[in-house]
């Protein structure tokens, strides 16, 4: 690869005010030769590292480099407009609407009802059959005296009763019963869902109104005086050690005789001592971890850095997230690898502040990369904010650097690592675990203070720990953070159920301490009001009202003013937070009723809509039923319809039997004494459409095989003498379930052995 025309870049930088000389031109030419084959991004980073000494110069070099050698990227063409939806897509969108589905369902129910009505409109029974007109022989009639004898004979049983006529289902009642029961079941599921949907729409409207409020939305309750993280003497001793190599602009212990004599003469003989400037001009490279896991110690780190700056220690401060493989001036700026920073840094010492919580998730290749880069500094040290070494990550033991706890003693040891000859401290391990172990009782006591204080900031939690439970270790705050309801480190918020238990236990066992803590919090709230008209002001007012209510309960005072203030806030834009604050006091001082609640016990959104809302909330929301709801509705409708059918409520008009559809005649036998005679079955004149297949019944029971009756003519069946003394009748089942019948004939013996028929 041919070298880039670097002179063009350097000339442009000189024209823009960057001080460059012959030495920079030569060094830049050597750099291009070593970076043969590098990418444009690597060349840009190397140029910025070589030519710039501040953030402004880095931005100038990068901007000029991109202007001269950056790749020109054509803006992407706008995407083509989507094609218009086809007929199937429009139909699918229309069917996806709940209103469309309900309308189609109603139309289908109406069509089904109309079909049932048309099916039941035609009477399935046959028209009445006229009298028979076939020219058949007259039936055999016994002599008149025999007829009279048979009629008067009490031994002849009555003819068997016919089956009751069928009663079909009245679909004019069944279909509405099915539809009403199914719709009623769907409404049972629909109404709670509709109420929940309406509540969600109302809550959304109130939350949108809350989002339109100006100003801050939250506030962090800070102590009046920040906690003292370190002993002043430890910081001064550490600064004394660090000042040997990392200070600038300070006076040394060497007296400047010439200036001392001149100033003494000028002041009329009053002695004025002037010391020579310190020759130490190095800067301490400070690498600070700003990952979310370090938020708990953000204030402590800031206090430490500020203390070193006040002592005159020159710091070159860089930040990283999790592991120092990539560092930058801030999280939004350009990142450099630790190896690139080591090549450009003029510092002869590096101090890292991190808990090392992300080291376990780092690849082995990345570890080796920044481990080697860290070894380029002969003086290096690491401060771990976790006080107890027992709780440190195991990966810290393999670091090429001594790790010390972020305490006064640990700061002194780190300062010694950075200033004393490394050979004299080689092989030293971290200080022994001097901090006491965190006990479950320590965590419980600190959680009680947090629950009583409401939602304190981490700084306020530390102040409460030092004032009320100074025997609890500093790491107790970490255990409380692990049990917090959310991951925010600006404030510590415990789960509501846990907070209720803690406040009740504190009031039962130590009410005086609770009163002291609440009075302290109330004073801090009074000294930190929030901008009027903002959500933060409403939340600040809620915190004040909650503390006042608790103090009134503790002192037996009137809780009316505090309750009235809470009831007013329950109708405001933070109604959902008011219920949680009052529920915490439920077990300790009695429940506080502030209005209607939901099924989960939380306060309902205020009735109506907030000012500025555009769409009113609907009183009834029809939602698309779920498949399970359809299945349950079908089962309920079937059960209701079955119950109505069993009770007879769905029975329609009975379909009468068709009498005289067939004619049954009997001819007695005169020669064979074992035969009673022959029964013949024929159709009547008006029964041409009657079924051709009939069944002969004897005393209501089927007798023999079915008979096929021709349209014209008769069908006969011989009857043995042993089958006499019974009633005979021919029957056929019609499509409507009713019967087509013949006349009923009794075959019996009378007047000797003659067989007679009646």
């Amino acid at each position: 690869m041919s070298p880039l025309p670097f002179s063009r870049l350097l000339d442009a930088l000189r024209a823009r005010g960057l001080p460059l000389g012959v030495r920079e031109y030569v060094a830049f030419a050597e750099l291009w030769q070593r970076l043969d084959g590098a990418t444009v991004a690597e060349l840009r980073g190397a140029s910025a590292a070589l030519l710039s000494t501040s953030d402004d110069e880095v931005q100038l070099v990068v901007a000029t480099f991109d202007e001269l050698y950056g790749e020109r990227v054509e803006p992407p063409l706008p995407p083509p407009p989507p094609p218009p939806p086809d007929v199937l897509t429009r139909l699918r969108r229309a069917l996806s609407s709940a209103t469309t589905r309900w309308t189609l369902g109603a139309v289908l129910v109406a069509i089904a009802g109309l079909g049932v009505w048309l099916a039941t409109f035609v009477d399935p029974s046959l028209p009445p059959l006229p009298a028979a007109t076939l020219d058949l022989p007259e039936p055999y009639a016994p002599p008149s005296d025999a007829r009279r004898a048979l009629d008067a004979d009490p031994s002849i049983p009555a003819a068997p009763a016919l089956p009751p006529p069928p009663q079909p289902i009245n679909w004019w009642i069944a279909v509405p019963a099915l539809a009403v029961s199914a719709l009623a079941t769907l409404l049972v599921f629909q109404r709670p869902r509709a109420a929940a949907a309406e509540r969600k729409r109302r809550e959304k409207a109130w939350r949108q109104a809350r989002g339109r409020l100006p100003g801050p939305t939250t506030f962090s309750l800070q102590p009046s005086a920040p906690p003292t993280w370190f002993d002043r003497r430890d910081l001064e001793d550490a600064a004394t050690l660090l000042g040997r190599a990392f200070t600038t602009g300070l006076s040394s212990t060497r007296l400047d005789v010439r200036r001392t004599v001149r100033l003494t003469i000028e002041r009329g003989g009053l002695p004025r001592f002037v010391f020579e400037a310190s020759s130490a001009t190095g800067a301490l490279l400070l690498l600070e971890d700003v990952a979310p896991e370090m938020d708990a110690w953000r204030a402590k780190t800031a206090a430490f850095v500020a203390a070193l700056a006040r002592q005159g220690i020159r710091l070159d401060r860089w930040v990283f997230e999790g592991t120092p493989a990539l560092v930058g001036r801030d999280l939004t700026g350009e990142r450099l690898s630790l190896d690139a920073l080591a090549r450009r840094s003029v510092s002869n010492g590096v101090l890292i502040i991190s808990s090392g919580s992300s080291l376990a998730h780092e690849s082995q290749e990345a570890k080796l990369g920044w481990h080697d880069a860290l070894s380029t500094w002969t003086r290096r040290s690491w401060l771990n904010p976790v006080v107890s070494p027992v709780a440190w990550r195991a990966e810290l033991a393999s670091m090429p650097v001594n790790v010390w706890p972020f305490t006064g003693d640990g700061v002194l040891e780190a300062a010694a690592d950075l200033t004393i000859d490394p050979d004299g401290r080689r092989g030293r391990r971290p200080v022994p675990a001097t901090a006491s172990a965190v006990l479950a009782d320590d965590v419980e006591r600190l959680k009680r203070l947090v629950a009583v204080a409401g939602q304190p900031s981490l700084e306020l939690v530390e102040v409460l720990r030092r004032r009320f439970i100074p025997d609890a270790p500093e790491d107790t705050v970490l255990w409380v953070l692990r049990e917090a309801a959310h991951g925010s480190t600006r404030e510590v918020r415990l789960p509501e159920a846990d907070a209720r238990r803690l406040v009740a236990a504190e009031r039962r066992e130590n009410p005086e301490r609770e009163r002291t803590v609440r009075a302290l919090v109330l004073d801090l709230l009074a000294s930190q009001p929030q901008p009027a008209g903002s959500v933060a002001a409403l939340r600040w007012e809620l915190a004040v009202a909650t503390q006042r209510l608790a103090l009134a309960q503790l002192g037996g005072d009137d809780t009316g003013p505090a309750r009235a203030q809470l009831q007013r806030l329950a109708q405001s834009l933070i109604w959902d937070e008011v219920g949680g604050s009052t529920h915490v006091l439920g077990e300790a001082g009695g429940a506080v009723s502030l209005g209607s609640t939901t099924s989960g016990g939380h306060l309902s959104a205020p009735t109506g809509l907030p000012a500025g809302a555009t769409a009113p909330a609907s009183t009834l929301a029809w939602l698309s039923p779920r498949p399970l709801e359809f299945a349950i509705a079908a089962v309920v409708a079937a059960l209701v319809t079955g119950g109505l059918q069993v009770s007879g409520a769905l029975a329609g008009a009975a379909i009468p039997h068709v009498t005289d559809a067939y004619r049954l005649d009997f001819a007695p036998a005169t020669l064979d004494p074992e035969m009673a005679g022959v029964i013949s079955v024929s159709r009547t004149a008006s029964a041409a459409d009657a079924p051709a297949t009939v069944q002969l019944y004897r005393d209501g029971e089927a007798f023999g095989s079915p008979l096929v009756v021709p349209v014209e003519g008769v069908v006969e069946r011989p009857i043995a003498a042993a089958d006499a003394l019974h009633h005979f009748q021919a029957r056929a089942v019609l499509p409507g379930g009713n019967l087509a019948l013949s006349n009923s004939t009794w075959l019996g013996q009378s007047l000797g052995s003659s067989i007679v028929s009646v």
Side-chain angles (χ1 to χ4, degrees), residues 221-224 520-530 540 544:
L221 189 59
Q222 300 293 336
S224 56
L520 172 63
V521 172
L522 193 58
D523 291 340
L524 292 177
L525 287 170
S527 63
Q528 302 175 22
Q530 302 301 311
W540 175 86
V544 171

Side-chain angles (χ1 to χ4, degrees), residues 169 173-178 181 637-651:
I169 297 177
I173 301 177
V175 171
L178 279 169
S181 57
L639 293 176
V640 171
T641 307
L644 293 176
Q645 176 68 14
V646 171
S647 64
L650 300 182

Side-chain angles (χ1 to χ4, degrees), residues 436-448 469 471-473 475-476 479-480 483 498 501-502:
S436 58
V438 178
L439 304 178
D441 181 66
D442 299 331
V443 179
E444 178 72 11
R445 289 185 296 163
L446 186 56
K447 285 170 59 179
R448 289 187 183 184
I469 49 173
D471 57 313
D475 288 344
T476 309
W479 292 89
V480 174
E483 301 184 20
D498 203 7
R501 177 187 63 82
L502 294 167

Side-chain angles (χ1 to χ4, degrees), residues 484-496:
H486 58 86
S488 174
T489 55
R490 295 189 58 188
E491 57 185 20
V492 182
R493 182 183 304 175
L494 298 175
E496 183 178 317

Side-chain angles (χ1 to χ4, degrees), residues 228 251 301 705 723:
T228 304
S251 300
T301 305
S705 59
D723 296 330

Side-chain angles (χ1 to χ4, degrees), residues 32-46:
W32 285 126
Q33 294 177 358
R34 291 198 304 270
L35 294 180
D36 187 13
T39 62
V40 175
E42 293 175 347
L43 295 175
R44 180 175 55 245

